[in-house]
Amino acid sequence: MTLTFTRKEMLPPQAPPVSQIGVVRWMRENLFSGPLNSILTIVSILVVWWIISHIGPWFTNAVWYAGSLAECRQILDGATGACFGVIRDRWSQLLYGFYPSNLFWRPNLAMVLMVVALAPILFSAVPRKLLWFSAVYPAIAFWLLWGGSFWVPVAVLAGFGAGYGAFRILAPLSSLLSMLAGVAAAVIWWVFLALPLAGVLQSVAPLALQQVASRDFGGFMLSIIIGVTGIALSLPLGIMLALGRKSDMPLIKVVCVGFIEFIRGVPLITLLFTASLLLNYFLPPGTNFDIILRVIIMVTLFAAAYMAEVIRGGLAALPRGQYEAADALGLDYWKAQRLIIMPQALKISIPGIVNTFIGLFKDTTLVVFIGLLDPIGLSNAIRADTNWNGIYWELFVFIGLCFFIFCFGMSRYSMYLERKLKTDHR
Amino acid sequence: MSELVIDKDIDRSKMKISNEVAIHIGKMNKWYGQFHVLRDIDMTVHRGERIVVCGPSGSGKSTLIRCINRLEEHQQGQIIVDGTELTSDLKNIDKVRSEVGMVFQHFNLFPHLTILENCTLAPIWVRKVPKKEAEEIAMHFLQKVKIPEQALKYPGQLSGGQQQRVAIARSLCMKPRIMLFDEPTSALDPEMIKEVLDTMIQLAEEGMTMICVTHEMGFAQAVANRVIFMDQGQIVEQNEPREFFRNPQSDRTKLFLSQILGH
């Protein structure tokens, strides 16, 4: 026996044997790899078949043309089957609530424009210039949905300009002072100047849409308004809270920790009741503080607290070296956060962030408890009609399906984003 | 001597030490809580000096050079870098940091940016250099560290030695007047140490003021004009390298040298 060995030539790579690739191989490995797994596979197939064969007829026999539940039952004549006639009959309510039907074009247009506004935010291939449209979109959507004078949202938007102007004028003096001045200028503008200015502009150039009151809003339109606004606002607020919680400044830290812990410790329902009932006691009498706006604020604060903790997790996962390298290159705190820390921390947090988004979107159905007509609230309203008294499954299946489409969409987008941002090659 | 022998002929024509003071540290003390990490550090670095700081782990050598660009805060004494004293004034700190380049043991490249973006980021955002110009500068220094072809890759796709050379190029893009190296080769495979040291030698040949915490004694002998030995937060001995290695004065230094060079 000899222990010495010297390789004379290196072996070239070869293709794997044919039996080790392909569908047959996959099935043998994953479905029938042994007696137990084969039995489990067959049992699973039977269970799936049993479920389909029992639920299937309910869908396949479905009645789409009927004006009432009684009519449905007559057509079905004792067979099992869904009565989707209710969706045909009441789809407009499920989508728009009691929004005037001759004005449906407004939410529709707002929805289409929302897709345009979201495109540059979600996909980097879309031209960056569209971001300007995204920035003014909230004002456009507000005007389209609620109507009223065109100049109100314009005057509100101008508040941002006023704040930025004040910031720029004072920026050379001190960064903290200029930031405070910017915020103060914007707030002063909104509280004292925005509405009178809008009134003046309206009298000069009347441009208004028919007003629609918040109580007429409902259905998926309401869910989307609350959900999308809440999502768009809770992410930046959550980032600020997460940074505040890690701040060296004791006051900021205490405020952020207190806020996060308070909001996380209280059920959303409680906050919504606070929004709908209690706030009126605290606000000066006669103030008209829109109920949808109040709900949006509460939902946003609620989601932001969770978001902050998710992002803090992402921040904690970053090695200290990243902060040090950014510092060593001379980047200041905000530049380091924006260019180095946040892109990485947010990327790590994507699953948690989308989790919070999806939770927020589904939680919009809770507004039913404070009397807003979200899809669930409308399903109750529809059942109150004698024609559709006793119909449950069909409405819930439809509502569930719509929510699923939105939430699954968000989930797929987050996976796409994770793949796209994966640059660490681990 | 150490395992790694510097076989390169070193061009010493530009290695000139001027009278100008680059860094002055006077009676500097630092504590971590109760623990006294740096004790009465006195040190003056002239422009063009190449200093190697060595010592056992926990001796405070990394903390010392991290104090120079305020990654660590000192509690007593004075640190003046390029005429700017380091205090809690953020403006001074940012000024010093943009003049002082730093290379870390674990490279600390930004994994979400390409090599080129890693190099252009600070010039664009701190120095306000136009993007195109910043890219030209970056390519120039990537060329210099001999990896221009990797510019569009991400750090995760490069080997450790390549990453460290990118880290050096990233610092150089800020055109620093002083470079700090914090154990730049300690996390590298032996095969890659040489390529990083070669880059550092090249930098020294161009007259860069360098302070380098390292255990590469071959590098210290070939390049440094001064070796500083630290233990327990104090400078125990400093000398020019030939004397330092041949004729160490303190017992602690002798023990240290016998341990790292003996095997």
Side-chain angles (χ1 to χ4, degrees):
Chain A
M1 194 179 124
T2 173
L3 288 171
T4 56
F5 167 77
T6 313
R7 185 172 285 289
K8 293 286 191 306
E9 51 186 317
M10 303 302 268
L11 300 175
Q14 286 175 336
V18 184
S19 67
Q20 295 298 306
I21 44 177
V23 182
V24 181
R25 154 115 181 132
W26 182 87
M27 281 181 56
R28 198 186 298 151
E29 210 166 66
N30 293 293
L31 300 178
F32 303 102
S33 64
L36 179 65
N37 284 343
S38 302
I39 291 168
L40 285 177
T41 302
I42 290 163
V43 169
S44 306
I45 290 171
L46 289 176
V47 169
V48 169
W49 170 246
W50 184 81
I51 292 172
I52 290 176
S53 63
H54 277 72
I55 295 180
W58 193 74
F59 283 100
T60 50
N61 293 343
V63 177
W64 283 90
Y65 297 89
S68 69
L69 188 57
E71 199 185 330
C72 258
R73 290 195 173 131
Q74 209 179 354
I75 294 170
L76 283 168
D77 198 16
T80 42
C83 185
F84 287 122
V86 67
I87 311 291
R88 264 187 78 81
D89 195 35
R90 298 300 184 95
W91 63 272
S92 62
Q93 269 182 14
L94 284 170
L95 294 187
Y96 303 102
F98 294 100
Y99 207 84
S101 59
N102 58 328
L103 300 178
F104 278 173
W105 65 271
R106 278 160 49 179
N108 289 345
L109 180 60
M111 183 80 184
V112 170
L113 292 180
M114 182 178 85
V115 174
V116 178
L118 282 179
I121 298 171
L122 298 182
F123 301 102
S124 54
V126 178
R128 298 290 87 194
K129 291 227 166 100
L130 258 184
L131 281 170
W132 280 106
F133 180 71
S134 312
V136 295
Y137 172 75
I140 298 173
F142 173 81
W143 186 54
L144 281 174
L145 291 170
W146 274 271
S149 164
F150 172 70
W151 301 108
V152 172
V154 170
V156 169
L157 266 191
F160 289 102
Y164 183 69
F167 171 76
R168 281 307 292 265
I169 290 168
L170 291 174
L173 294 179
S174 139
S175 57
L176 183 69
L177 189 72
S178 58
M179 231 182 276
L180 290 176
V183 173
V187 169
I188 289 170
W189 178 278
W190 286 324
V191 174
F192 297 109
L193 293 172
L195 287 179
L197 178 76
V200 171
L201 286 168
Q202 176 67 17
S203 61
V204 174
L207 184 57
L209 286 174
Q210 185 187 333
Q211 254 181 337
V212 181
S214 284
R215 62 173 183 280
D216 293 334
F217 282 49
F220 278 101
M221 188 180 88
L222 184 66
S223 292
I224 293 172
I225 291 172
I226 298 173
V228 171
T229 320
I231 285 172
L233 295 177
S234 64
L235 183 62
L237 191 57
I239 292 175
M240 291 331 255
L241 284 170
L243 290 179
R245 190 165 189 165
K246 286 184 69 108
S247 167
D248 296 332
M249 289 178 246
L251 180 68
I252 291 179
K253 186 173 177 163
V254 165
V255 168
C256 290
V257 171
F259 178 86
I260 292 169
E261 297 302 338
F262 170 73
I263 297 277
R264 285 204 306 170
V266 176
L268 178 56
I269 289 283
T270 319
L271 294 175
L272 290 177
F273 275 126
T274 312
S276 80
L277 304 171
L278 282 176
L279 276 186
N280 277 347
Y281 292 109
F282 295 119
L283 292 169
T287 8
N288 176 24
F289 198 35
D290 188 88
I291 180 73
I292 294 181
L293 185 59
R294 280 187 264 169
V295 166
I296 286 175
I297 291 174
M298 283 304 179
V299 168
T300 303
L301 296 182
F302 188 77
Y306 283 86
M307 192 68 69
E309 289 299 278
V310 168
I311 292 168
R312 193 165 66 94
L315 288 171
L318 275 196
R320 253 186 79 77
Q322 293 292 310
Y323 293 88
E324 288 176 354
D327 283 347
L329 285 171
L331 293 167
D332 63 31
Y333 178 80
W334 291 109
K335 280 179 191 150
Q337 289 297 340
R338 186 172 128 212
L339 300 166
I340 309 298
I341 308 300
M342 274 305 150
Q344 297 185 63
L346 292 180
K347 186 177 86 176
I348 298 170
S349 321
I350 287 174
I353 291 174
V354 175
N355 225 357
T356 313
F357 282 170
I358 289 176
L360 183 156
F361 188 61
K362 292 192 295 186
D363 280 350
T364 57
T365 53
L366 289 176
V367 298
V368 67
F369 291 111
I370 56 168
L372 288 178
L373 290 172
D374 80 306
I376 303 285
L378 278 163
S379 78
N380 295 335
I382 291 169
R383 261 194 306 281
D385 184 339
T386 45
N387 279 340
W388 298 110
N389 196 355
I391 196 154
Y392 285 91
W393 283 99
E394 290 80 354
L395 289 168
F396 287 145
V397 164
F398 176 74
I399 293 167
L401 181 71
C402 290
F403 270 108
F404 179 80
I405 290 171
F406 280 110
C407 296
F408 188 64
M410 284 192 246
S411 159
R412 297 304 297 187
Y413 175 75
S414 85
M415 286 163 78
Y416 152 82
L417 200 60
E418 275 181 72
R419 270 198 311 278
K420 195 183 90 163
L421 297 179
K422 188 170 162 49
T423 57
D424 52 1
H425 301 276
R426 256 185 283 205
Chain B
M1 224 56 239
S2 80
E3 322 85 69
L4 192 116
V5 180
I6 305 285
D7 48 8
K8 225 174 123 174
D9 279 333
I10 295 178
D11 170 16
R12 294 177 184 278
S13 59
K14 283 190 201 156
M15 290 190 185
K16 290 211 176 74
I17 300 169
S18 75
N19 282 330
E20 191 188 344
V21 174
I23 301 169
H24 173 76
I25 300 176
K27 283 267 176 223
M28 191 262 279
N29 279 279
K30 175 172 177 61
W31 290 264
Y32 284 132
Q34 288 294 311
F35 180 59
H36 200 172
V37 244
L38 292 177
R39 309 178 194 176
D40 275 354
I41 303 289
D42 277 306
M43 176 176 168
T44 302
V45 181
H46 292 272
R47 194 160 302 293
E49 275 202 280
R50 303 156 308 278
I51 297 176
V52 162
V53 183
C54 61
S57 66
S59 61
K61 51 195 191 305
S62 283
T63 312
L64 171 63
I65 71 163
R66 290 158 61 88
C67 281
I68 294 174
N69 67 353
R70 194 75 170 192
L71 289 183
E72 303 279 356
E73 195 180 332
H74 62 283
Q75 277 103 27
Q76 235 175 46
Q78 198 180 35
I79 302 178
I80 299 173
V81 182
D82 247 346
T84 310
E85 178 166 5
L86 283 171
T87 57
S88 49
D89 185 346
L90 288 175
K91 276 206 178 105
N92 281 353
I93 295 175
D94 282 339
K95 180 160 174 256
V96 166
R97 281 175 178 168
S98 64
E99 299 292 334
V100 178
M102 177 134 188
V103 176
F104 298 88
Q105 181 177 0
H106 296 287
F107 331 134
N108 296 349
L109 294 178
F110 305 129
H112 63 300
L113 300 176
T114 62
I115 301 306
L116 189 63
E117 287 165 341
N118 262 279
C119 294
T120 55
L121 184 116
I124 290 175
W125 291 94
V126 180
R127 290 250 192 275
K128 316 275 179 215
V129 176
K131 186 169 179 231
K132 201 152 171 274
E133 201 185 319
E135 281 175 357
E136 279 164 20
I137 298 171
M139 285 315 289
H140 167 77
F141 285 111
L142 286 174
Q143 210 107 46
K144 193 166 199 168
V145 300
K146 302 193 178 64
I147 31 179
E149 69 283 359
Q150 314 281 9
L152 298 179
K153 288 193 185 167
Y154 286 94
Q157 292 165 291
L158 269 55
S159 75
Q162 290 174 321
Q163 289 194 45
Q164 193 60 296
R165 283 184 283 151
V166 171
I168 295 173
R170 177 176 73 177
S171 292
L172 293 177
C173 285
M174 286 293 280
K175 309 261 173 78
R177 308 187 70 192
I178 299 164
M179 285 288 286
L180 307 173
F181 293 84
D182 188 2
E183 305 206 28
T185 55
S186 301
L188 295 176
D189 291 341
E191 277 182 317
M192 295 168 181
I193 292 178
K194 190 174 177 309
E195 64 189 51
V196 171
L197 289 183
D198 281 348
T199 310
M200 291 165 63
I201 291 170
Q202 197 187 343
L203 212 53
E205 284 175 337
E206 286 162 13
M208 176 67 79
T209 311
M210 297 165 68
I211 303 182
C212 185
V213 173
T214 182
H215 296 116
E216 293 303 330
M217 291 304 140
F219 173 80
Q221 282 219 309
V223 178
N225 67 301
R226 171 148 61 125
V227 179
I228 292 178
F229 174 70
M230 289 184 69
D231 189 29
Q232 293 173 29
Q234 301 149 68
I235 296 178
V236 174
E237 187 166 345
Q238 59 172 317
N239 211 331
E240 56 99 17
R242 182 186 288 261
E243 274 300 298
F244 179 83
F245 289 111
R246 196 173 294 168
N247 194 10
Q249 299 297 309
S250 88
D251 292 342
R252 187 63 191 91
T253 316
K254 282 177 198 160
L255 179 67
F256 176 76
L257 287 177
S258 74
Q259 274 164 347
I260 67 161
L261 304 175
H263 57 85

